[in-house]
PDB file of all heavy atoms in Angstrom:
ATOM      1  N   ARG A1481       6.988  -1.383   3.551  1.00 98.00           N
ATOM      2  CA  ARG A1481       7.547  -1.030   4.844  1.00 98.00           C
ATOM      3  C   ARG A1481       8.647  -1.998   5.243  1.00 98.00           C
ATOM      4  O   ARG A1481       8.670  -3.136   4.790  1.00 98.00           O
ATOM      5  CB  ARG A1481       6.451  -0.983   5.917  1.00 98.00           C
ATOM      6  CG  ARG A1481       5.836  -2.347   6.247  1.00 98.00           C
ATOM      7  CD  ARG A1481       4.672  -2.173   7.218  1.00 98.00           C
ATOM      8  NE  ARG A1481       4.079  -3.455   7.577  1.00 98.00           N
ATOM      9  CZ  ARG A1481       2.986  -3.574   8.320  1.00 98.00           C
ATOM     10  NH1 ARG A1481       2.363  -2.500   8.791  1.00 98.00           N
ATOM     11  NH2 ARG A1481       2.522  -4.786   8.611  1.00 98.00           N
ATOM     12  N   GLN A1482       9.529  -1.494   6.080  1.00 98.00           N
ATOM     13  CA  GLN A1482      10.633  -2.316   6.565  1.00 98.00           C
ATOM     14  C   GLN A1482      10.804  -2.062   8.051  1.00 98.00           C
ATOM     15  O   GLN A1482      11.130  -0.937   8.464  1.00 98.00           O
ATOM     16  CB  GLN A1482      11.922  -2.009   5.813  1.00 98.00           C
ATOM     17  CG  GLN A1482      13.060  -2.956   6.155  1.00 98.00           C
ATOM     18  CD  GLN A1482      14.214  -2.853   5.182  1.00 98.00           C
ATOM     19  OE1 GLN A1482      14.335  -1.886   4.429  1.00 98.00           O
ATOM     20  NE2 GLN A1482      15.066  -3.872   5.172  1.00 98.00           N
ATOM     21  N   ALA A1483      10.575  -3.093   8.830  1.00 96.00           N
ATOM     22  CA  ALA A1483      10.771  -3.025  10.268  1.00 96.00           C
ATOM     23  C   ALA A1483      12.214  -3.412  10.592  1.00 96.00           C
ATOM     24  O   ALA A1483      12.877  -4.085   9.794  1.00 96.00           O
ATOM     25  CB  ALA A1483       9.799  -3.970  10.974  1.00 96.00           C
ATOM     26  N   PRO A1484      12.702  -3.008  11.740  1.00 92.00           N
ATOM     27  CA  PRO A1484      14.088  -3.332  12.125  1.00 92.00           C
ATOM     28  C   PRO A1484      14.334  -4.834  12.084  1.00 92.00           C
ATOM     29  O   PRO A1484      13.561  -5.616  12.649  1.00 92.00           O
ATOM     30  CB  PRO A1484      14.189  -2.782  13.544  1.00 92.00           C
ATOM     31  CG  PRO A1484      13.186  -1.693  13.603  1.00 92.00           C
ATOM     32  CD  PRO A1484      12.044  -2.145  12.745  1.00 92.00           C
ATOM     33  N   GLY A1485      15.405  -5.227  11.396  1.00 94.00           N
ATOM     34  CA  GLY A1485      15.774  -6.635  11.325  1.00 94.00           C
ATOM     35  C   GLY A1485      14.946  -7.468  10.376  1.00 94.00           C
ATOM     36  O   GLY A1485      15.113  -8.683  10.313  1.00 94.00           O
ATOM     37  N   LYS A1486      14.045  -6.829   9.630  1.00 96.00           N
ATOM     38  CA  LYS A1486      13.175  -7.574   8.703  1.00 96.00           C
ATOM     39  C   LYS A1486      13.347  -7.069   7.288  1.00 96.00           C
ATOM     40  O   LYS A1486      13.863  -5.977   7.054  1.00 96.00           O
ATOM     41  CB  LYS A1486      11.715  -7.454   9.140  1.00 96.00           C
ATOM     42  CG  LYS A1486      11.416  -8.091  10.488  1.00 96.00           C
ATOM     43  CD  LYS A1486       9.934  -8.099  10.761  1.00 96.00           C
ATOM     44  CE  LYS A1486       9.612  -8.803  12.081  1.00 96.00           C
ATOM     45  NZ  LYS A1486       8.142  -8.838  12.351  1.00 96.00           N
ATOM     46  N   GLN A1487      12.864  -7.877   6.343  1.00 97.00           N
ATOM     47  CA  GLN A1487      12.920  -7.469   4.950  1.00 97.00           C
ATOM     48  C   GLN A1487      11.802  -6.490   4.633  1.00 97.00           C
ATOM     49  O   GLN A1487      10.769  -6.448   5.311  1.00 97.00           O
ATOM     50  CB  GLN A1487      12.808  -8.708   4.054  1.00 97.00           C
ATOM     51  CG  GLN A1487      14.012  -9.625   4.090  1.00 97.00           C
ATOM     52  CD  GLN A1487      13.927 -10.731   3.065  1.00 97.00           C
ATOM     53  OE1 GLN A1487      12.846 -11.209   2.730  1.00 97.00           O
ATOM     54  NE2 GLN A1487      15.063 -11.150   2.536  1.00 97.00           N
ATOM     55  N   ARG A1488      12.031  -5.728   3.581  1.00 97.00           N
ATOM     56  CA  ARG A1488      10.984  -4.821   3.123  1.00 97.00           C
ATOM     57  C   ARG A1488       9.814  -5.647   2.606  1.00 97.00           C
ATOM     58  O   ARG A1488       9.991  -6.632   1.898  1.00 97.00           O
ATOM     59  CB  ARG A1488      11.519  -3.922   2.013  1.00 97.00           C
ATOM     60  CG  ARG A1488      10.587  -2.800   1.608  1.00 97.00           C
ATOM     61  CD  ARG A1488      11.232  -1.857   0.610  1.00 97.00           C
ATOM     62  NE  ARG A1488      12.407  -1.195   1.168  1.00 97.00           N
ATOM     63  CZ  ARG A1488      13.048  -0.186   0.548  1.00 97.00           C
ATOM     64  NH1 ARG A1488      12.607   0.256  -0.613  1.00 97.00           N
ATOM     65  NH2 ARG A1488      14.115   0.345   1.101  1.00 97.00           N
ATOM     66  N   GLU A1489       8.605  -5.218   2.960  1.00 98.00           N
ATOM     67  CA  GLU A1489       7.416  -5.962   2.563  1.00 98.00           C
ATOM     68  C   GLU A1489       6.363  -5.050   1.960  1.00 98.00           C
ATOM     69  O   GLU A1489       6.287  -3.866   2.278  1.00 98.00           O
ATOM     70  CB  GLU A1489       6.806  -6.693   3.775  1.00 98.00           C
ATOM     71  CG  GLU A1489       6.301  -5.783   4.863  1.00 98.00           C
ATOM     72  CD  GLU A1489       5.599  -6.540   6.001  1.00 98.00           C
ATOM     73  OE1 GLU A1489       5.555  -7.778   5.956  1.00 98.00           O
ATOM     74  OE2 GLU A1489       5.104  -5.868   6.924  1.00 98.00           O
ATOM     75  N   LEU A1490       5.562  -5.647   1.103  1.00 98.00           N
ATOM     76  CA  LEU A1490       4.467  -4.910   0.476  1.00 98.00           C
ATOM     77  C   LEU A1490       3.409  -4.567   1.516  1.00 98.00           C
ATOM     78  O   LEU A1490       3.049  -5.396   2.351  1.00 98.00           O
ATOM     79  CB  LEU A1490       3.839  -5.768  -0.621  1.00 98.00           C
ATOM     80  CG  LEU A1490       2.521  -5.285  -1.194  1.00 98.00           C
ATOM     81  CD1 LEU A1490       2.749  -4.088  -2.090  1.00 98.00           C
ATOM     82  CD2 LEU A1490       1.824  -6.401  -1.950  1.00 98.00           C
ATOM     83  N   VAL A1491       2.902  -3.340   1.444  1.00 98.00           N
ATOM     84  CA  VAL A1491       1.775  -2.926   2.269  1.00 98.00           C
ATOM     85  C   VAL A1491       0.520  -2.834   1.399  1.00 98.00           C
ATOM     86  O   VAL A1491      -0.489  -3.479   1.672  1.00 98.00           O
ATOM     87  CB  VAL A1491       2.046  -1.588   2.961  1.00 98.00           C
ATOM     88  CG1 VAL A1491       0.809  -1.112   3.715  1.00 98.00           C
ATOM     89  CG2 VAL A1491       3.241  -1.688   3.902  1.00 98.00           C
ATOM     90  N   ALA A1492       0.609  -2.024   0.355  1.00 98.00           N
ATOM     91  CA  ALA A1492      -0.547  -1.839  -0.523  1.00 98.00           C
ATOM     92  C   ALA A1492      -0.103  -1.218  -1.839  1.00 98.00           C
ATOM     93  O   ALA A1492       0.889  -0.483  -1.873  1.00 98.00           O
ATOM     94  CB  ALA A1492      -1.593  -0.945   0.137  1.00 98.00           C
ATOM     95  N   THR A1493      -0.846  -1.536  -2.899  1.00 98.00           N
ATOM     96  CA  THR A1493      -0.583  -0.927  -4.198  1.00 98.00           C
ATOM     97  C   THR A1493      -1.890  -0.468  -4.829  1.00 98.00           C
ATOM     98  O   THR A1493      -2.972  -0.965  -4.483  1.00 98.00           O
ATOM     99  CB  THR A1493       0.108  -1.904  -5.169  1.00 98.00           C
ATOM    100  OG1 THR A1493      -0.749  -3.036  -5.391  1.00 98.00           O
ATOM    101  CG2 THR A1493       1.446  -2.373  -4.629  1.00 98.00           C
ATOM    102  N   ILE A1494      -1.765   0.459  -5.763  1.00 98.00           N
ATOM    103  CA  ILE A1494      -2.933   0.948  -6.486  1.00 98.00           C
ATOM    104  C   ILE A1494      -2.516   1.274  -7.912  1.00 98.00           C
ATOM    105  O   ILE A1494      -1.479   1.907  -8.134  1.00 98.00           O
ATOM    106  CB  ILE A1494      -3.560   2.174  -5.776  1.00 98.00           C
ATOM    107  CG1 ILE A1494      -4.847   2.602  -6.480  1.00 98.00           C
ATOM    108  CG2 ILE A1494      -2.574   3.322  -5.645  1.00 98.00           C
ATOM    109  CD1 ILE A1494      -5.673   3.602  -5.664  1.00 98.00           C
ATOM    110  N   THR A1495      -3.314   0.838  -8.872  1.00 96.00           N
ATOM    111  CA  THR A1495      -3.001   1.115 -10.267  1.00 96.00           C
ATOM    112  C   THR A1495      -3.570   2.470 -10.676  1.00 96.00           C
ATOM    113  O   THR A1495      -4.345   3.086  -9.932  1.00 96.00           O
ATOM    114  CB  THR A1495      -3.589   0.037 -11.176  1.00 96.00           C
ATOM    115  OG1 THR A1495      -5.030   0.138 -11.139  1.00 96.00           O
ATOM    116  CG2 THR A1495      -3.169  -1.356 -10.740  1.00 96.00           C
ATOM    117  N   SER A1496      -3.214   2.897 -11.864  1.00 94.00           N
ATOM    118  CA  SER A1496      -3.742   4.175 -12.362  1.00 94.00           C
ATOM    119  C   SER A1496      -5.253   4.110 -12.543  1.00 94.00           C
ATOM    120  O   SER A1496      -5.920   5.137 -12.492  1.00 94.00           O
ATOM    121  CB  SER A1496      -3.066   4.539 -13.688  1.00 94.00           C
ATOM    122  OG  SER A1496      -3.252   3.508 -14.634  1.00 94.00           O
ATOM    123  N   GLY A1497      -5.769   2.895 -12.712  1.00 94.00           N
ATOM    124  CA  GLY A1497      -7.211   2.723 -12.852  1.00 94.00           C
ATOM    125  C   GLY A1497      -7.940   2.576 -11.537  1.00 94.00           C
ATOM    126  O   GLY A1497      -9.171   2.496 -11.508  1.00 94.00           O
ATOM    127  N   GLY A1498      -7.183   2.519 -10.448  1.00 95.00           N
ATOM    128  CA  GLY A1498      -7.804   2.455  -9.123  1.00 95.00           C
ATOM    129  C   GLY A1498      -7.896   1.074  -8.506  1.00 95.00           C
ATOM    130  O   GLY A1498      -8.443   0.930  -7.404  1.00 95.00           O
ATOM    131  N   SER A1499      -7.369   0.061  -9.155  1.00 97.00           N
ATOM    132  CA  SER A1499      -7.380  -1.269  -8.559  1.00 97.00           C
ATOM    133  C   SER A1499      -6.372  -1.334  -7.421  1.00 97.00           C
ATOM    134  O   SER A1499      -5.243  -0.867  -7.568  1.00 97.00           O
ATOM    135  CB  SER A1499      -7.032  -2.322  -9.615  1.00 97.00           C
ATOM    136  OG  SER A1499      -8.019  -2.363 -10.616  1.00 97.00           O
ATOM    137  N   THR A1500      -6.801  -1.915  -6.312  1.00 98.00           N
ATOM    138  CA  THR A1500      -5.961  -1.942  -5.123  1.00 98.00           C
ATOM    139  C   THR A1500      -5.614  -3.374  -4.706  1.00 98.00           C
ATOM    140  O   THR A1500      -6.323  -4.328  -5.027  1.00 98.00           O
ATOM    141  CB  THR A1500      -6.642  -1.236  -3.945  1.00 98.00           C
ATOM    142  OG1 THR A1500      -7.895  -1.889  -3.670  1.00 98.00           O
ATOM    143  CG2 THR A1500      -6.893   0.224  -4.254  1.00 98.00           C
ATOM    144  N   ASN A1501      -4.520  -3.462  -3.976  1.00 97.00           N
ATOM    145  CA  ASN A1501      -4.062  -4.741  -3.435  1.00 97.00           C
ATOM    146  C   ASN A1501      -3.451  -4.461  -2.070  1.00 97.00           C
ATOM    147  O   ASN A1501      -2.710  -3.481  -1.920  1.00 97.00           O
ATOM    148  CB  ASN A1501      -3.021  -5.369  -4.356  1.00 97.00           C
ATOM    149  CG  ASN A1501      -2.501  -6.680  -3.833  1.00 97.00           C
ATOM    150  OD1 ASN A1501      -3.265  -7.578  -3.523  1.00 97.00           O
ATOM    151  ND2 ASN A1501      -1.189  -6.802  -3.705  1.00 97.00           N
ATOM    152  N   TYR A1502      -3.779  -5.310  -1.080  1.00 98.00           N
ATOM    153  CA  TYR A1502      -3.297  -5.106   0.281  1.00 98.00           C
ATOM    154  C   TYR A1502      -2.637  -6.364   0.838  1.00 98.00           C
ATOM    155  O   TYR A1502      -3.045  -7.489   0.514  1.00 98.00           O
ATOM    156  CB  TYR A1502      -4.454  -4.738   1.220  1.00 98.00           C
ATOM    157  CG  TYR A1502      -5.110  -3.426   0.929  1.00 98.00           C
ATOM    158  CD1 TYR A1502      -6.218  -3.339   0.103  1.00 98.00           C
ATOM    159  CD2 TYR A1502      -4.625  -2.250   1.503  1.00 98.00           C
ATOM    160  CE1 TYR A1502      -6.832  -2.115  -0.166  1.00 98.00           C
ATOM    161  CE2 TYR A1502      -5.237  -1.021   1.255  1.00 98.00           C
ATOM    162  CZ  TYR A1502      -6.336  -0.967   0.421  1.00 98.00           C
ATOM    163  OH  TYR A1502      -6.930   0.242   0.174  1.00 98.00           O
ATOM    164  N   ALA A1503      -1.670  -6.152   1.696  1.00 97.00           N
ATOM    165  CA  ALA A1503      -1.138  -7.265   2.467  1.00 97.00           C
ATOM    166  C   ALA A1503      -2.213  -7.724   3.448  1.00 97.00           C
ATOM    167  O   ALA A1503      -2.999  -6.914   3.943  1.00 97.00           O
ATOM    168  CB  ALA A1503       0.110  -6.821   3.231  1.00 97.00           C
ATOM    169  N   ASP A1504      -2.227  -9.026   3.719  1.00 96.00           N
ATOM    170  CA  ASP A1504      -3.242  -9.557   4.633  1.00 96.00           C
ATOM    171  C   ASP A1504      -3.183  -8.875   5.996  1.00 96.00           C
ATOM    172  O   ASP A1504      -4.217  -8.659   6.643  1.00 96.00           O
ATOM    173  CB  ASP A1504      -3.035 -11.063   4.811  1.00 96.00           C
ATOM    174  CG  ASP A1504      -3.387 -11.851   3.553  1.00 96.00           C
ATOM    175  OD1 ASP A1504      -4.084 -11.289   2.676  1.00 96.00           O
ATOM    176  OD2 ASP A1504      -2.965 -13.010   3.440  1.00 96.00           O
ATOM    177  N   SER A1505      -1.982  -8.514   6.422  1.00 95.00           N
ATOM    178  CA  SER A1505      -1.795  -7.962   7.768  1.00 95.00           C
ATOM    179  C   SER A1505      -2.406  -6.574   7.932  1.00 95.00           C
ATOM    180  O   SER A1505      -2.599  -6.118   9.060  1.00 95.00           O
ATOM    181  CB  SER A1505      -0.309  -7.915   8.108  1.00 95.00           C
ATOM    182  OG  SER A1505       0.390  -7.122   7.163  1.00 95.00           O
ATOM    183  N   VAL A1506      -2.706  -5.904   6.828  1.00 96.00           N
ATOM    184  CA  VAL A1506      -3.235  -4.529   6.921  1.00 96.00           C
ATOM    185  C   VAL A1506      -4.636  -4.414   6.345  1.00 96.00           C
ATOM    186  O   VAL A1506      -5.272  -3.366   6.467  1.00 96.00           O
ATOM    187  CB  VAL A1506      -2.305  -3.521   6.221  1.00 96.00           C
ATOM    188  CG1 VAL A1506      -0.877  -3.668   6.748  1.00 96.00           C
ATOM    189  CG2 VAL A1506      -2.329  -3.652   4.707  1.00 96.00           C
ATOM    190  N   GLU A1507      -5.115  -5.461   5.709  1.00 95.00           N
ATOM    191  CA  GLU A1507      -6.443  -5.440   5.106  1.00 95.00           C
ATOM    192  C   GLU A1507      -7.484  -5.022   6.135  1.00 95.00           C
ATOM    193  O   GLU A1507      -7.525  -5.538   7.253  1.00 95.00           O
ATOM    194  CB  GLU A1507      -6.773  -6.828   4.557  1.00 95.00           C
ATOM    195  CG  GLU A1507      -8.089  -6.907   3.808  1.00 95.00           C
ATOM    196  CD  GLU A1507      -7.956  -6.540   2.347  1.00 95.00           C
ATOM    197  OE1 GLU A1507      -7.098  -7.103   1.673  1.00 95.00           O
ATOM    198  OE2 GLU A1507      -8.732  -5.679   1.890  1.00 95.00           O
ATOM    199  N   GLY A1508      -8.304  -4.053   5.772  1.00 95.00           N
ATOM    200  CA  GLY A1508      -9.353  -3.568   6.654  1.00 95.00           C
ATOM    201  C   GLY A1508      -8.933  -2.430   7.571  1.00 95.00           C
ATOM    202  O   GLY A1508      -9.785  -1.745   8.148  1.00 95.00           O
ATOM    203  N   ARG A1509      -7.620  -2.209   7.717  1.00 97.00           N
ATOM    204  CA  ARG A1509      -7.146  -1.121   8.575  1.00 97.00           C
ATOM    205  C   ARG A1509      -6.481  -0.014   7.768  1.00 97.00           C
ATOM    206  O   ARG A1509      -6.509   1.153   8.162  1.00 97.00           O
ATOM    207  CB  ARG A1509      -6.134  -1.658   9.597  1.00 97.00           C
ATOM    208  CG  ARG A1509      -6.675  -2.688  10.548  1.00 97.00           C
ATOM    209  CD  ARG A1509      -5.661  -3.017  11.646  1.00 97.00           C
ATOM    210  NE  ARG A1509      -4.434  -3.606  11.114  1.00 97.00           N
ATOM    211  CZ  ARG A1509      -3.225  -3.072  11.278  1.00 97.00           C
ATOM    212  NH1 ARG A1509      -3.083  -1.946  11.960  1.00 97.00           N
ATOM    213  NH2 ARG A1509      -2.149  -3.683  10.768  1.00 97.00           N
ATOM    214  N   PHE A1510      -5.874  -0.378   6.661  1.00 98.00           N
ATOM    215  CA  PHE A1510      -5.178   0.592   5.810  1.00 98.00           C
ATOM    216  C   PHE A1510      -5.987   0.807   4.536  1.00 98.00           C
ATOM    217  O   PHE A1510      -6.593  -0.130   4.008  1.00 98.00           O
ATOM    218  CB  PHE A1510      -3.790   0.078   5.424  1.00 98.00           C
ATOM    219  CG  PHE A1510      -2.778  -0.006   6.535  1.00 98.00           C
ATOM    220  CD1 PHE A1510      -3.165   0.019   7.864  1.00 98.00           C
ATOM    221  CD2 PHE A1510      -1.433  -0.104   6.237  1.00 98.00           C
ATOM    222  CE1 PHE A1510      -2.230  -0.054   8.885  1.00 98.00           C
ATOM    223  CE2 PHE A1510      -0.479  -0.187   7.245  1.00 98.00           C
ATOM    224  CZ  PHE A1510      -0.876  -0.169   8.568  1.00 98.00           C
ATOM    225  N   THR A1511      -5.956   2.028   4.042  1.00 98.00           N
ATOM    226  CA  THR A1511      -6.614   2.347   2.775  1.00 98.00           C
ATOM    227  C   THR A1511      -5.665   3.148   1.905  1.00 98.00           C
ATOM    228  O   THR A1511      -5.175   4.202   2.323  1.00 98.00           O
ATOM    229  CB  THR A1511      -7.899   3.155   3.009  1.00 98.00           C
ATOM    230  OG1 THR A1511      -8.783   2.422   3.858  1.00 98.00           O
ATOM    231  CG2 THR A1511      -8.594   3.425   1.675  1.00 98.00           C
ATOM    232  N   ILE A1512      -5.424   2.640   0.708  1.00 98.00           N
ATOM    233  CA  ILE A1512      -4.571   3.346  -0.242  1.00 98.00           C
ATOM    234  C   ILE A1512      -5.449   4.065  -1.255  1.00 98.00           C
ATOM    235  O   ILE A1512      -6.503   3.554  -1.660  1.00 98.00           O
ATOM    236  CB  ILE A1512      -3.594   2.379  -0.952  1.00 98.00           C
ATOM    237  CG1 ILE A1512      -2.542   3.151  -1.749  1.00 98.00           C
ATOM    238  CG2 ILE A1512      -4.334   1.368  -1.820  1.00 98.00           C
ATOM    239  CD1 ILE A1512      -1.405   2.279  -2.267  1.00 98.00           C
ATOM    240  N   SER A1513      -5.026   5.260  -1.639  1.00 98.00           N
ATOM    241  CA  SER A1513      -5.752   6.026  -2.653  1.00 98.00           C
ATOM    242  C   SER A1513      -4.747   6.883  -3.409  1.00 98.00           C
ATOM    243  O   SER A1513      -3.604   7.025  -2.985  1.00 98.00           O
ATOM    244  CB  SER A1513      -6.834   6.901  -2.010  1.00 98.00           C
ATOM    245  OG  SER A1513      -6.253   7.824  -1.095  1.00 98.00           O
ATOM    246  N   ARG A1514      -5.183   7.413  -4.533  1.00 96.00           N
ATOM    247  CA  ARG A1514      -4.275   8.261  -5.299  1.00 96.00           C
ATOM    248  C   ARG A1514      -5.038   9.342  -6.019  1.00 96.00           C
ATOM    249  O   ARG A1514      -6.232   9.192  -6.331  1.00 96.00           O
ATOM    250  CB  ARG A1514      -3.444   7.441  -6.290  1.00 96.00           C
ATOM    251  CG  ARG A1514      -4.226   6.762  -7.376  1.00 96.00           C
ATOM    252  CD  ARG A1514      -3.329   5.823  -8.201  1.00 96.00           C
ATOM    253  NE  ARG A1514      -2.510   6.543  -9.163  1.00 96.00           N
ATOM    254  CZ  ARG A1514      -1.612   5.940  -9.964  1.00 96.00           C
ATOM    255  NH1 ARG A1514      -1.411   4.627  -9.864  1.00 96.00           N
ATOM    256  NH2 ARG A1514      -0.907   6.658 -10.830  1.00 96.00           N
ATOM    257  N   ASP A1515      -4.329  10.435  -6.273  1.00 95.00           N
ATOM    258  CA  ASP A1515      -4.853  11.552  -7.044  1.00 95.00           C
ATOM    259  C   ASP A1515      -3.996  11.618  -8.298  1.00 95.00           C
ATOM    260  O   ASP A1515      -2.854  12.087  -8.255  1.00 95.00           O
ATOM    261  CB  ASP A1515      -4.761  12.845  -6.229  1.00 95.00           C
ATOM    262  CG  ASP A1515      -5.377  14.029  -6.936  1.00 95.00           C
ATOM    263  OD1 ASP A1515      -5.417  14.036  -8.195  1.00 95.00           O
ATOM    264  OD2 ASP A1515      -5.803  14.968  -6.247  1.00 95.00           O
ATOM    265  N   ASN A1516      -4.524  11.123  -9.403  1.00 91.00           N
ATOM    266  CA  ASN A1516      -3.738  11.058 -10.631  1.00 91.00           C
ATOM    267  C   ASN A1516      -3.364  12.439 -11.150  1.00 91.00           C
ATOM    268  O   ASN A1516      -2.301  12.615 -11.744  1.00 91.00           O
ATOM    269  CB  ASN A1516      -4.497  10.289 -11.707  1.00 91.00           C
ATOM    270  CG  ASN A1516      -4.578   8.801 -11.397  1.00 91.00           C
ATOM    271  OD1 ASN A1516      -3.703   8.236 -10.739  1.00 91.00           O
ATOM    272  ND2 ASN A1516      -5.637   8.155 -11.858  1.00 91.00           N
ATOM    273  N   ALA A1517      -4.216  13.409 -10.923  1.00 91.00           N
ATOM    274  CA  ALA A1517      -3.915  14.756 -11.396  1.00 91.00           C
ATOM    275  C   ALA A1517      -2.707  15.342 -10.667  1.00 91.00           C
ATOM    276  O   ALA A1517      -1.965  16.158 -11.221  1.00 91.00           O
ATOM    277  CB  ALA A1517      -5.125  15.658 -11.195  1.00 91.00           C
ATOM    278  N   LYS A1518      -2.508  14.904  -9.427  1.00 92.00           N
ATOM    279  CA  LYS A1518      -1.386  15.413  -8.623  1.00 92.00           C
ATOM    280  C   LYS A1518      -0.227  14.425  -8.545  1.00 92.00           C
ATOM    281  O   LYS A1518       0.776  14.698  -7.893  1.00 92.00           O
ATOM    282  CB  LYS A1518      -1.872  15.729  -7.202  1.00 92.00           C
ATOM    283  CG  LYS A1518      -2.896  16.839  -7.122  1.00 92.00           C
ATOM    284  CD  LYS A1518      -3.292  17.098  -5.672  1.00 92.00           C
ATOM    285  CE  LYS A1518      -4.307  18.228  -5.565  1.00 92.00           C
ATOM    286  NZ  LYS A1518      -4.716  18.472  -4.157  1.00 92.00           N
ATOM    287  N   ASN A1519      -0.376  13.258  -9.201  1.00 92.00           N
ATOM    288  CA  ASN A1519       0.647  12.208  -9.082  1.00 92.00           C
ATOM    289  C   ASN A1519       1.007  11.945  -7.629  1.00 92.00           C
ATOM    290  O   ASN A1519       2.190  11.874  -7.263  1.00 92.00           O
ATOM    291  CB  ASN A1519       1.905  12.575  -9.885  1.00 92.00           C
ATOM    292  CG  ASN A1519       1.815  12.128 -11.335  1.00 92.00           C
ATOM    293  OD1 ASN A1519       0.871  11.441 -11.731  1.00 92.00           O
ATOM    294  ND2 ASN A1519       2.777  12.538 -12.135  1.00 92.00           N
ATOM    295  N   THR A1520      -0.013  11.824  -6.811  1.00 96.00           N
ATOM    296  CA  THR A1520       0.175  11.636  -5.376  1.00 96.00           C
ATOM    297  C   THR A1520      -0.586  10.402  -4.909  1.00 96.00           C
ATOM    298  O   THR A1520      -1.719  10.169  -5.342  1.00 96.00           O
ATOM    299  CB  THR A1520      -0.305  12.876  -4.605  1.00 96.00           C
ATOM    300  OG1 THR A1520       0.463  14.014  -5.024  1.00 96.00           O
ATOM    301  CG2 THR A1520      -0.136  12.687  -3.108  1.00 96.00           C
TER     302      THR A1520
END
């Protein structure tokens, strides 16, 4: 994400195997998921 006047920052990532990583600022509030069959 990129807020006005700020640099783009990581929010969350997920690997094809389902491993996730979150920014500290969103941990516990945001959840990332993916559907590999739909590439979504």
Side-chain angles (χ1 to χ4, degrees):
R1481 68 186 181 186
Q1482 187 166 17
K1486 296 188 177 181
Q1487 290 187 328
R1488 189 174 298 189
E1489 64 175 3
L1490 168 74
V1491 175
T1493 61
I1494 185 167
T1495 68
S1496 57
S1499 296
T1500 59
N1501 179 53
Y1502 295 92
D1504 290 343
S1505 59
V1506 307
E1507 185 86 52
R1509 298 188 297 121
F1510 291 17
T1511 302
I1512 190 170
S1513 60
R1514 64 187 282 178
D1515 184 333
N1516 289 331
K1518 296 181 179 179
N1519 273 354
T1520 299

